[in-house]
Amino acid sequence: MDLLKRFFKKIESLEDAEFFLNSTSYILFLIGFLQSILFTFLLGSFRNFYMDVLLIFIFGVVIRFSRSRVSVLLLCIYSLIILIGTTLTWFGIAAGGGNNIFLALLLLFFSVRAAKVSFQFHKLKDTKLVWKNIWIRHVIALGFAFILSSSLFISSVFIAKSWGITEIGSLHGEIIFESLPISYILLLLPGLPWAKKRRMYIVSEIPS
């Protein structure tokens, strides 16, 4: 009960902001886990929705370890798209969206609040962006992501030829081509060797 009160309380300190952002990342992991169960065992269509689950897990990882304001804004946009698709499916206007409108609303609520708290976190910490490091980190991440994605594609072609496979399934094709943006996002995480000495933001003043 105390955890719930602390989670929904007004953000007044850096510790409150960190607690909320960490908790939000765990909630995203939980939502992704619940969605995977829903799609696999109840709808029998995890293959069609695996990217939704994967993106939620990735957003959870990025929010937990990088405190990225861009990531929470993208999460808000993504959550809104999910809610619109789920609502249209719910009312029978369109097909192909999710069916759990409660989870979609929950995801949007936490996304919007996470975005607000993320900006409060950086304001309380008085951080300043380091544009040079931002550009360098993005170039490095994009370069490695391109190498990984290209290697995966070339390896799949060689394996297909050696096994006599003439056509790659749609799922395998999606995994290969979507590996570029996914690896690009993950390679921006601050715990990687080239990122430790190239912080995207610095604390200009240690809060009292």
Side-chain angles (χ1 to χ4, degrees):
M1 211 51 196
D2 291 336
L3 287 174
L4 283 175
K5 287 180 180 178
R6 188 180 177 191
F7 186 77
F8 289 105
K9 68 175 288 192
K10 182 180 178 181
I11 303 298
E12 297 177 340
S13 67
L14 189 62
E15 184 182 7
D16 292 339
E18 287 184 327
F19 174 81
F20 180 86
L21 292 173
N22 290 341
S23 300
T24 298
S25 67
Y26 301 142
I27 290 172
L28 288 176
F29 296 149
L30 179 61
I31 290 175
F33 177 71
L34 291 174
Q35 278 194 324
S36 64
I37 293 176
L38 176 68
F39 294 146
T40 303
F41 297 105
L42 298 182
L43 302 179
S45 58
F46 182 75
R47 176 173 178 171
N48 297 328
F49 293 96
Y50 75 95
M51 187 51 61
D52 293 339
V53 175
L54 182 58
L55 282 174
I56 290 174
F57 275 113
I58 290 174
F59 276 122
V61 170
V62 173
I63 290 173
R64 174 64 182 85
F65 294 105
S66 74
R67 307 295 192 222
S68 170
R69 285 164 285 193
V70 174
S71 66
V72 289
L73 291 176
L74 290 175
L75 177 60
C76 288
I77 296 171
Y78 172 74
S79 302
L80 184 60
I81 293 171
I82 291 293
L83 179 60
I84 291 172
T86 303
T87 304
L88 292 176
T89 303
W90 182 272
F91 288 105
I93 300 173
N99 292 288
N100 196 323
I101 198 166
F102 173 74
L103 271 181
L105 285 168
L106 191 67
L107 179 61
L108 181 62
F109 169 77
F110 285 119
S111 302
V112 172
R113 180 142 167 80
K116 180 181 177 182
V117 174
S118 181
F119 279 88
Q120 287 178 308
F121 168 83
H122 285 279
K123 185 177 180 180
L124 288 167
K125 204 167 184 179
D126 194 16
T127 59
K128 303 295 180 183
L129 294 175
V130 184
W131 289 105
K132 180 182 177 182
N133 290 347
I134 290 174
W135 282 109
I136 292 173
R137 292 257 305 268
H138 277 274
V139 168
I140 292 174
L142 186 60
F144 275 114
F146 179 76
I147 292 171
L148 288 171
S149 180
S150 300
S151 300
L152 184 61
F153 175 74
I154 294 170
S155 299
S156 65
V157 171
F158 276 112
I159 291 172
K161 283 187 175 181
S162 62
W163 288 357
I165 301 172
T166 58
E167 186 176 342
I168 298 177
S170 59
L171 178 62
H172 297 92
E174 288 175 13
I175 292 173
I176 291 170
F177 289 107
E178 288 165 357
S179 63
L180 177 63
I182 291 172
S183 56
Y184 171 61
I185 293 170
L186 293 177
L187 286 166
L188 288 171
L189 290 174
L192 297 170
W194 58 82
K196 291 180 179 179
K197 293 183 179 180
R198 297 182 179 92
R199 298 294 303 273
M200 289 190 181
Y201 63 84
I202 57 172
V203 180
S204 58
E205 182 180 337
I206 299 175
S208 57

PDB file of all heavy atoms in Angstrom, residues 31-53 56 78 82 97-100 103:
ATOM      1  N   ILE A  31       3.468  -5.532 -18.449  1.00  0.00           N
ATOM      2  CA  ILE A  31       2.479  -5.405 -19.523  1.00  0.00           C
ATOM      3  C   ILE A  31       2.911  -6.240 -20.736  1.00  0.00           C
ATOM      4  O   ILE A  31       2.095  -6.930 -21.355  1.00  0.00           O
ATOM      5  CB  ILE A  31       2.299  -3.924 -19.919  1.00  0.00           C
ATOM      6  CG1 ILE A  31       1.585  -3.162 -18.798  1.00  0.00           C
ATOM      7  CG2 ILE A  31       1.484  -3.811 -21.215  1.00  0.00           C
ATOM      8  CD1 ILE A  31       1.468  -1.670 -19.048  1.00  0.00           C
ATOM      9  N   GLY A  32       4.208  -6.181 -21.062  1.00  0.00           N
ATOM     10  CA  GLY A  32       4.718  -6.984 -22.170  1.00  0.00           C
ATOM     11  C   GLY A  32       4.541  -8.471 -21.914  1.00  0.00           C
ATOM     12  O   GLY A  32       4.155  -9.233 -22.815  1.00  0.00           O
ATOM     13  N   PHE A  33       4.789  -8.885 -20.674  1.00  0.00           N
ATOM     14  CA  PHE A  33       4.622 -10.297 -20.302  1.00  0.00           C
ATOM     15  C   PHE A  33       3.156 -10.717 -20.405  1.00  0.00           C
ATOM     16  O   PHE A  33       2.834 -11.780 -20.942  1.00  0.00           O
ATOM     17  CB  PHE A  33       5.144 -10.510 -18.884  1.00  0.00           C
ATOM     18  CG  PHE A  33       4.967 -11.911 -18.369  1.00  0.00           C
ATOM     19  CD1 PHE A  33       5.729 -12.953 -18.880  1.00  0.00           C
ATOM     20  CD2 PHE A  33       4.037 -12.191 -17.373  1.00  0.00           C
ATOM     21  CE1 PHE A  33       5.564 -14.250 -18.412  1.00  0.00           C
ATOM     22  CE2 PHE A  33       3.861 -13.480 -16.904  1.00  0.00           C
ATOM     23  CZ  PHE A  33       4.624 -14.512 -17.424  1.00  0.00           C
ATOM     24  N   LEU A  34       2.246  -9.859 -19.900  1.00  0.00           N
ATOM     25  CA  LEU A  34       0.818 -10.165 -19.958  1.00  0.00           C
ATOM     26  C   LEU A  34       0.331 -10.221 -21.403  1.00  0.00           C
ATOM     27  O   LEU A  34      -0.478 -11.079 -21.758  1.00  0.00           O
ATOM     28  CB  LEU A  34       0.015  -9.116 -19.178  1.00  0.00           C
ATOM     29  CG  LEU A  34       0.193  -9.127 -17.658  1.00  0.00           C
ATOM     30  CD1 LEU A  34      -0.552  -7.952 -17.028  1.00  0.00           C
ATOM     31  CD2 LEU A  34      -0.305 -10.445 -17.071  1.00  0.00           C
ATOM     32  N   GLN A  35       0.840  -9.318 -22.242  1.00  0.00           N
ATOM     33  CA  GLN A  35       0.453  -9.327 -23.651  1.00  0.00           C
ATOM     34  C   GLN A  35       0.930 -10.591 -24.353  1.00  0.00           C
ATOM     35  O   GLN A  35       0.217 -11.155 -25.180  1.00  0.00           O
ATOM     36  CB  GLN A  35       1.010  -8.098 -24.360  1.00  0.00           C
ATOM     37  CG  GLN A  35       0.178  -6.847 -24.171  1.00  0.00           C
ATOM     38  CD  GLN A  35       0.567  -5.761 -25.149  1.00  0.00           C
ATOM     39  OE1 GLN A  35       1.737  -5.600 -25.489  1.00  0.00           O
ATOM     40  NE2 GLN A  35      -0.409  -4.996 -25.599  1.00  0.00           N
ATOM     41  N   SER A  36       2.154 -11.024 -24.030  1.00  0.00           N
ATOM     42  CA  SER A  36       2.678 -12.242 -24.664  1.00  0.00           C
ATOM     43  C   SER A  36       1.823 -13.453 -24.301  1.00  0.00           C
ATOM     44  O   SER A  36       1.559 -14.313 -25.141  1.00  0.00           O
ATOM     45  CB  SER A  36       4.138 -12.470 -24.256  1.00  0.00           C
ATOM     46  OG  SER A  36       4.251 -12.697 -22.866  1.00  0.00           O
ATOM     47  N   ILE A  37       1.367 -13.503 -23.039  1.00  0.00           N
ATOM     48  CA  ILE A  37       0.488 -14.599 -22.611  1.00  0.00           C
ATOM     49  C   ILE A  37      -0.859 -14.509 -23.323  1.00  0.00           C
ATOM     50  O   ILE A  37      -1.404 -15.508 -23.809  1.00  0.00           O
ATOM     51  CB  ILE A  37       0.289 -14.560 -21.079  1.00  0.00           C
ATOM     52  CG1 ILE A  37       1.604 -14.889 -20.366  1.00  0.00           C
ATOM     53  CG2 ILE A  37      -0.803 -15.544 -20.652  1.00  0.00           C
ATOM     54  CD1 ILE A  37       1.525 -14.784 -18.864  1.00  0.00           C
ATOM     55  N   LEU A  38      -1.398 -13.280 -23.386  1.00  0.00           N
ATOM     56  CA  LEU A  38      -2.690 -13.062 -24.041  1.00  0.00           C
ATOM     57  C   LEU A  38      -2.650 -13.469 -25.504  1.00  0.00           C
ATOM     58  O   LEU A  38      -3.520 -14.203 -25.995  1.00  0.00           O
ATOM     59  CB  LEU A  38      -3.081 -11.588 -23.916  1.00  0.00           C
ATOM     60  CG  LEU A  38      -4.370 -11.145 -24.626  1.00  0.00           C
ATOM     61  CD1 LEU A  38      -5.580 -11.771 -23.953  1.00  0.00           C
ATOM     62  CD2 LEU A  38      -4.498  -9.628 -24.612  1.00  0.00           C
ATOM     63  N   PHE A  39      -1.611 -13.006 -26.222  1.00  0.00           N
ATOM     64  CA  PHE A  39      -1.517 -13.291 -27.651  1.00  0.00           C
ATOM     65  C   PHE A  39      -1.249 -14.775 -27.920  1.00  0.00           C
ATOM     66  O   PHE A  39      -1.754 -15.340 -28.881  1.00  0.00           O
ATOM     67  CB  PHE A  39      -0.417 -12.448 -28.291  1.00  0.00           C
ATOM     68  CG  PHE A  39      -0.709 -10.971 -28.288  1.00  0.00           C
ATOM     69  CD1 PHE A  39       0.326 -10.052 -28.154  1.00  0.00           C
ATOM     70  CD2 PHE A  39      -2.004 -10.502 -28.400  1.00  0.00           C
ATOM     71  CE1 PHE A  39       0.056  -8.683 -28.149  1.00  0.00           C
ATOM     72  CE2 PHE A  39      -2.283  -9.148 -28.391  1.00  0.00           C
ATOM     73  CZ  PHE A  39      -1.248  -8.237 -28.269  1.00  0.00           C
ATOM     74  N   THR A  40      -0.447 -15.405 -27.064  1.00  0.00           N
ATOM     75  CA  THR A  40      -0.045 -16.786 -27.301  1.00  0.00           C
ATOM     76  C   THR A  40      -1.135 -17.785 -26.949  1.00  0.00           C
ATOM     77  O   THR A  40      -1.488 -18.659 -27.755  1.00  0.00           O
ATOM     78  CB  THR A  40       1.231 -17.124 -26.502  1.00  0.00           C
ATOM     79  OG1 THR A  40       2.261 -16.206 -26.863  1.00  0.00           O
ATOM     80  CG2 THR A  40       1.687 -18.549 -26.789  1.00  0.00           C
ATOM     81  N   PHE A  41      -1.691 -17.652 -25.743  1.00  0.00           N
ATOM     82  CA  PHE A  41      -2.590 -18.687 -25.235  1.00  0.00           C
ATOM     83  C   PHE A  41      -4.075 -18.384 -25.442  1.00  0.00           C
ATOM     84  O   PHE A  41      -4.877 -19.308 -25.578  1.00  0.00           O
ATOM     85  CB  PHE A  41      -2.329 -18.921 -23.747  1.00  0.00           C
ATOM     86  CG  PHE A  41      -0.941 -19.431 -23.465  1.00  0.00           C
ATOM     87  CD1 PHE A  41       0.026 -18.598 -22.924  1.00  0.00           C
ATOM     88  CD2 PHE A  41      -0.589 -20.736 -23.760  1.00  0.00           C
ATOM     89  CE1 PHE A  41       1.319 -19.049 -22.672  1.00  0.00           C
ATOM     90  CE2 PHE A  41       0.695 -21.210 -23.516  1.00  0.00           C
ATOM     91  CZ  PHE A  41       1.643 -20.367 -22.968  1.00  0.00           C
ATOM     92  N   LEU A  42      -4.443 -17.105 -25.471  1.00  0.00           N
ATOM     93  CA  LEU A  42      -5.866 -16.770 -25.616  1.00  0.00           C
ATOM     94  C   LEU A  42      -6.245 -16.450 -27.058  1.00  0.00           C
ATOM     95  O   LEU A  42      -7.295 -16.875 -27.537  1.00  0.00           O
ATOM     96  CB  LEU A  42      -6.218 -15.588 -24.707  1.00  0.00           C
ATOM     97  CG  LEU A  42      -6.031 -15.827 -23.198  1.00  0.00           C
ATOM     98  CD1 LEU A  42      -6.455 -14.608 -22.406  1.00  0.00           C
ATOM     99  CD2 LEU A  42      -6.844 -17.045 -22.746  1.00  0.00           C
ATOM    100  N   LEU A  43      -5.381 -15.692 -27.747  1.00  0.00           N
ATOM    101  CA  LEU A  43      -5.684 -15.322 -29.132  1.00  0.00           C
ATOM    102  C   LEU A  43      -4.999 -16.235 -30.142  1.00  0.00           C
ATOM    103  O   LEU A  43      -5.397 -16.284 -31.299  1.00  0.00           O
ATOM    104  CB  LEU A  43      -5.276 -13.867 -29.388  1.00  0.00           C
ATOM    105  CG  LEU A  43      -5.938 -12.816 -28.482  1.00  0.00           C
ATOM    106  CD1 LEU A  43      -5.430 -11.427 -28.840  1.00  0.00           C
ATOM    107  CD2 LEU A  43      -7.453 -12.883 -28.594  1.00  0.00           C
ATOM    108  N   GLY A  44      -3.944 -16.929 -29.690  1.00  0.00           N
ATOM    109  CA  GLY A  44      -3.225 -17.832 -30.584  1.00  0.00           C
ATOM    110  C   GLY A  44      -2.571 -17.131 -31.755  1.00  0.00           C
ATOM    111  O   GLY A  44      -2.437 -17.700 -32.834  1.00  0.00           O
ATOM    112  N   SER A  45      -2.150 -15.868 -31.527  1.00  0.00           N
ATOM    113  CA  SER A  45      -1.598 -15.091 -32.641  1.00  0.00           C
ATOM    114  C   SER A  45      -0.366 -14.307 -32.233  1.00  0.00           C
ATOM    115  O   SER A  45      -0.197 -13.163 -32.633  1.00  0.00           O
ATOM    116  CB  SER A  45      -2.659 -14.127 -33.186  1.00  0.00           C
ATOM    117  OG  SER A  45      -3.115 -13.267 -32.157  1.00  0.00           O
ATOM    118  N   PHE A  46       0.484 -14.896 -31.407  1.00  0.00           N
ATOM    119  CA  PHE A  46       1.683 -14.188 -30.958  1.00  0.00           C
ATOM    120  C   PHE A  46       2.566 -13.799 -32.140  1.00  0.00           C
ATOM    121  O   PHE A  46       3.210 -12.751 -32.121  1.00  0.00           O
ATOM    122  CB  PHE A  46       2.484 -15.055 -29.987  1.00  0.00           C
ATOM    123  CG  PHE A  46       3.709 -14.369 -29.452  1.00  0.00           C
ATOM    124  CD1 PHE A  46       3.599 -13.384 -28.494  1.00  0.00           C
ATOM    125  CD2 PHE A  46       4.977 -14.696 -29.928  1.00  0.00           C
ATOM    126  CE1 PHE A  46       4.724 -12.743 -27.998  1.00  0.00           C
ATOM    127  CE2 PHE A  46       6.105 -14.059 -29.445  1.00  0.00           C
ATOM    128  CZ  PHE A  46       5.963 -13.088 -28.480  1.00  0.00           C
ATOM    129  N   ARG A  47       2.568 -14.601 -33.181  1.00  0.00           N
ATOM    130  CA  ARG A  47       3.390 -14.320 -34.370  1.00  0.00           C
ATOM    131  C   ARG A  47       3.014 -12.977 -34.992  1.00  0.00           C
ATOM    132  O   ARG A  47       3.859 -12.271 -35.530  1.00  0.00           O
ATOM    133  CB  ARG A  47       3.220 -15.442 -35.390  1.00  0.00           C
ATOM    134  CG  ARG A  47       3.953 -15.190 -36.692  1.00  0.00           C
ATOM    135  CD  ARG A  47       3.902 -16.392 -37.584  1.00  0.00           C
ATOM    136  NE  ARG A  47       4.558 -16.134 -38.856  1.00  0.00           N
ATOM    137  CZ  ARG A  47       4.821 -17.046 -39.762  1.00  0.00           C
ATOM    138  NH1 ARG A  47       4.499 -18.303 -39.541  1.00  0.00           N
ATOM    139  NH2 ARG A  47       5.416 -16.741 -40.903  1.00  0.00           N
ATOM    140  N   ASN A  48       1.712 -12.606 -34.909  1.00  0.00           N
ATOM    141  CA  ASN A  48       1.257 -11.359 -35.516  1.00  0.00           C
ATOM    142  C   ASN A  48       1.499 -10.140 -34.629  1.00  0.00           C
ATOM    143  O   ASN A  48       1.427  -9.008 -35.098  1.00  0.00           O
ATOM    144  CB  ASN A  48      -0.242 -11.448 -35.838  1.00  0.00           C
ATOM    145  CG  ASN A  48      -0.547 -12.523 -36.856  1.00  0.00           C
ATOM    146  OD1 ASN A  48       0.260 -12.805 -37.728  1.00  0.00           O
ATOM    147  ND2 ASN A  48      -1.714 -13.142 -36.748  1.00  0.00           N
ATOM    148  N   PHE A  49       1.759 -10.375 -33.346  1.00  0.00           N
ATOM    149  CA  PHE A  49       1.870  -9.254 -32.416  1.00  0.00           C
ATOM    150  C   PHE A  49       3.190  -9.233 -31.647  1.00  0.00           C
ATOM    151  O   PHE A  49       3.336  -8.475 -30.687  1.00  0.00           O
ATOM    152  CB  PHE A  49       0.710  -9.301 -31.398  1.00  0.00           C
ATOM    153  CG  PHE A  49      -0.645  -9.062 -32.003  1.00  0.00           C
ATOM    154  CD1 PHE A  49      -1.449 -10.124 -32.363  1.00  0.00           C
ATOM    155  CD2 PHE A  49      -1.106  -7.776 -32.205  1.00  0.00           C
ATOM    156  CE1 PHE A  49      -2.709  -9.898 -32.920  1.00  0.00           C
ATOM    157  CE2 PHE A  49      -2.352  -7.541 -32.759  1.00  0.00           C
ATOM    158  CZ  PHE A  49      -3.160  -8.614 -33.119  1.00  0.00           C
ATOM    159  N   TYR A  50       4.151 -10.084 -32.038  1.00  0.00           N
ATOM    160  CA  TYR A  50       5.392 -10.185 -31.274  1.00  0.00           C
ATOM    161  C   TYR A  50       6.140  -8.861 -31.228  1.00  0.00           C
ATOM    162  O   TYR A  50       6.819  -8.552 -30.240  1.00  0.00           O
ATOM    163  CB  TYR A  50       6.296 -11.283 -31.860  1.00  0.00           C
ATOM    164  CG  TYR A  50       6.978 -10.882 -33.147  1.00  0.00           C
ATOM    165  CD1 TYR A  50       8.267 -10.351 -33.141  1.00  0.00           C
ATOM    166  CD2 TYR A  50       6.341 -11.026 -34.376  1.00  0.00           C
ATOM    167  CE1 TYR A  50       8.891  -9.971 -34.316  1.00  0.00           C
ATOM    168  CE2 TYR A  50       6.959 -10.647 -35.544  1.00  0.00           C
ATOM    169  CZ  TYR A  50       8.227 -10.127 -35.510  1.00  0.00           C
ATOM    170  OH  TYR A  50       8.836  -9.745 -36.674  1.00  0.00           O
ATOM    171  N   MET A  51       6.026  -8.033 -32.291  1.00  0.00           N
ATOM    172  CA  MET A  51       6.739  -6.765 -32.333  1.00  0.00           C
ATOM    173  C   MET A  51       6.207  -5.795 -31.275  1.00  0.00           C
ATOM    174  O   MET A  51       6.969  -5.024 -30.694  1.00  0.00           O
ATOM    175  CB  MET A  51       6.640  -6.150 -33.726  1.00  0.00           C
ATOM    176  CG  MET A  51       7.499  -4.906 -33.910  1.00  0.00           C
ATOM    177  SD  MET A  51       9.240  -5.113 -33.424  1.00  0.00           S
ATOM    178  CE  MET A  51       9.752  -6.416 -34.529  1.00  0.00           C
ATOM    179  N   ASP A  52       4.895  -5.834 -31.005  1.00  0.00           N
ATOM    180  CA  ASP A  52       4.321  -4.994 -29.952  1.00  0.00           C
ATOM    181  C   ASP A  52       4.946  -5.324 -28.602  1.00  0.00           C
ATOM    182  O   ASP A  52       5.330  -4.443 -27.834  1.00  0.00           O
ATOM    183  CB  ASP A  52       2.796  -5.183 -29.874  1.00  0.00           C
ATOM    184  CG  ASP A  52       2.089  -4.648 -31.105  1.00  0.00           C
ATOM    185  OD1 ASP A  52       2.689  -3.806 -31.802  1.00  0.00           O
ATOM    186  OD2 ASP A  52       0.962  -5.067 -31.373  1.00  0.00           O
ATOM    187  N   VAL A  53       5.021  -6.615 -28.311  1.00  0.00           N
ATOM    188  CA  VAL A  53       5.600  -7.066 -27.032  1.00  0.00           C
ATOM    189  C   VAL A  53       7.072  -6.691 -26.955  1.00  0.00           C
ATOM    190  O   VAL A  53       7.549  -6.188 -25.921  1.00  0.00           O
ATOM    191  CB  VAL A  53       5.424  -8.594 -26.889  1.00  0.00           C
ATOM    192  CG1 VAL A  53       6.126  -9.093 -25.622  1.00  0.00           C
ATOM    193  CG2 VAL A  53       3.946  -8.958 -26.862  1.00  0.00           C
ATOM    194  N   ILE A  56       7.603  -2.934 -26.274  1.00  0.00           N
ATOM    195  CA  ILE A  56       7.310  -2.568 -24.885  1.00  0.00           C
ATOM    196  C   ILE A  56       8.472  -2.938 -23.974  1.00  0.00           C
ATOM    197  O   ILE A  56       8.871  -2.165 -23.093  1.00  0.00           O
ATOM    198  CB  ILE A  56       6.002  -3.241 -24.415  1.00  0.00           C
ATOM    199  CG1 ILE A  56       4.809  -2.597 -25.132  1.00  0.00           C
ATOM    200  CG2 ILE A  56       5.833  -3.114 -22.900  1.00  0.00           C
ATOM    201  CD1 ILE A  56       3.485  -3.271 -24.865  1.00  0.00           C
ATOM    202  N   TYR A  78       3.552   5.801 -29.359  1.00  0.00           N
ATOM    203  CA  TYR A  78       3.293   4.380 -29.585  1.00  0.00           C
ATOM    204  C   TYR A  78       2.053   3.925 -28.806  1.00  0.00           C
ATOM    205  O   TYR A  78       1.200   3.211 -29.344  1.00  0.00           O
ATOM    206  CB  TYR A  78       4.520   3.570 -29.171  1.00  0.00           C
ATOM    207  CG  TYR A  78       4.304   2.077 -29.167  1.00  0.00           C
ATOM    208  CD1 TYR A  78       4.222   1.369 -30.359  1.00  0.00           C
ATOM    209  CD2 TYR A  78       4.190   1.391 -27.967  1.00  0.00           C
ATOM    210  CE1 TYR A  78       4.019   0.004 -30.356  1.00  0.00           C
ATOM    211  CE2 TYR A  78       3.985   0.021 -27.959  1.00  0.00           C
ATOM    212  CZ  TYR A  78       3.898  -0.670 -29.154  1.00  0.00           C
ATOM    213  OH  TYR A  78       3.689  -2.028 -29.147  1.00  0.00           O
ATOM    214  N   ILE A  82      -1.488   2.386 -30.183  1.00  0.00           N
ATOM    215  CA  ILE A  82      -2.022   1.118 -29.681  1.00  0.00           C
ATOM    216  C   ILE A  82      -3.462   1.294 -29.213  1.00  0.00           C
ATOM    217  O   ILE A  82      -4.340   0.469 -29.501  1.00  0.00           O
ATOM    218  CB  ILE A  82      -1.153   0.584 -28.526  1.00  0.00           C
ATOM    219  CG1 ILE A  82       0.215   0.143 -29.045  1.00  0.00           C
ATOM    220  CG2 ILE A  82      -1.840  -0.584 -27.807  1.00  0.00           C
ATOM    221  CD1 ILE A  82       0.179  -1.052 -29.954  1.00  0.00           C
ATOM    222  N   GLY A  97      -6.043  -4.947 -34.711  1.00  0.00           N
ATOM    223  CA  GLY A  97      -5.541  -4.347 -33.479  1.00  0.00           C
ATOM    224  C   GLY A  97      -5.682  -5.299 -32.307  1.00  0.00           C
ATOM    225  O   GLY A  97      -6.124  -6.445 -32.454  1.00  0.00           O
ATOM    226  N   GLY A  98      -5.310  -4.807 -31.133  1.00  0.00           N
ATOM    227  CA  GLY A  98      -5.450  -5.621 -29.939  1.00  0.00           C
ATOM    228  C   GLY A  98      -6.895  -5.685 -29.475  1.00  0.00           C
ATOM    229  O   GLY A  98      -7.784  -5.033 -30.027  1.00  0.00           O
ATOM    230  N   ASN A  99      -7.144  -6.469 -28.429  1.00  0.00           N
ATOM    231  CA  ASN A  99      -8.496  -6.632 -27.912  1.00  0.00           C
ATOM    232  C   ASN A  99      -8.634  -6.187 -26.462  1.00  0.00           C
ATOM    233  O   ASN A  99      -9.750  -6.079 -25.964  1.00  0.00           O
ATOM    234  CB  ASN A  99      -8.919  -8.104 -28.031  1.00  0.00           C
ATOM    235  CG  ASN A  99      -9.092  -8.538 -29.466  1.00  0.00           C
ATOM    236  OD1 ASN A  99     -10.041  -8.152 -30.130  1.00  0.00           O
ATOM    237  ND2 ASN A  99      -8.149  -9.330 -29.965  1.00  0.00           N
ATOM    238  N   ASN A 100      -7.517  -5.946 -25.792  1.00  0.00           N
ATOM    239  CA  ASN A 100      -7.574  -5.581 -24.375  1.00  0.00           C
ATOM    240  C   ASN A 100      -7.463  -4.072 -24.225  1.00  0.00           C
ATOM    241  O   ASN A 100      -6.363  -3.512 -24.165  1.00  0.00           O
ATOM    242  CB  ASN A 100      -6.451  -6.297 -23.610  1.00  0.00           C
ATOM    243  CG  ASN A 100      -6.678  -6.277 -22.113  1.00  0.00           C
ATOM    244  OD1 ASN A 100      -7.174  -5.291 -21.564  1.00  0.00           O
ATOM    245  ND2 ASN A 100      -6.332  -7.355 -21.455  1.00  0.00           N
ATOM    246  N   LEU A 103      -5.581  -2.775 -20.950  1.00  0.00           N
ATOM    247  CA  LEU A 103      -4.118  -2.716 -21.010  1.00  0.00           C
ATOM    248  C   LEU A 103      -3.654  -1.535 -21.854  1.00  0.00           C
ATOM    249  O   LEU A 103      -2.653  -0.888 -21.541  1.00  0.00           O
ATOM    250  CB  LEU A 103      -3.562  -4.018 -21.596  1.00  0.00           C
ATOM    251  CG  LEU A 103      -3.263  -5.163 -20.622  1.00  0.00           C
ATOM    252  CD1 LEU A 103      -2.711  -6.355 -21.367  1.00  0.00           C
ATOM    253  CD2 LEU A 103      -2.310  -4.727 -19.527  1.00  0.00           C
TER     254      LEU A 103
END
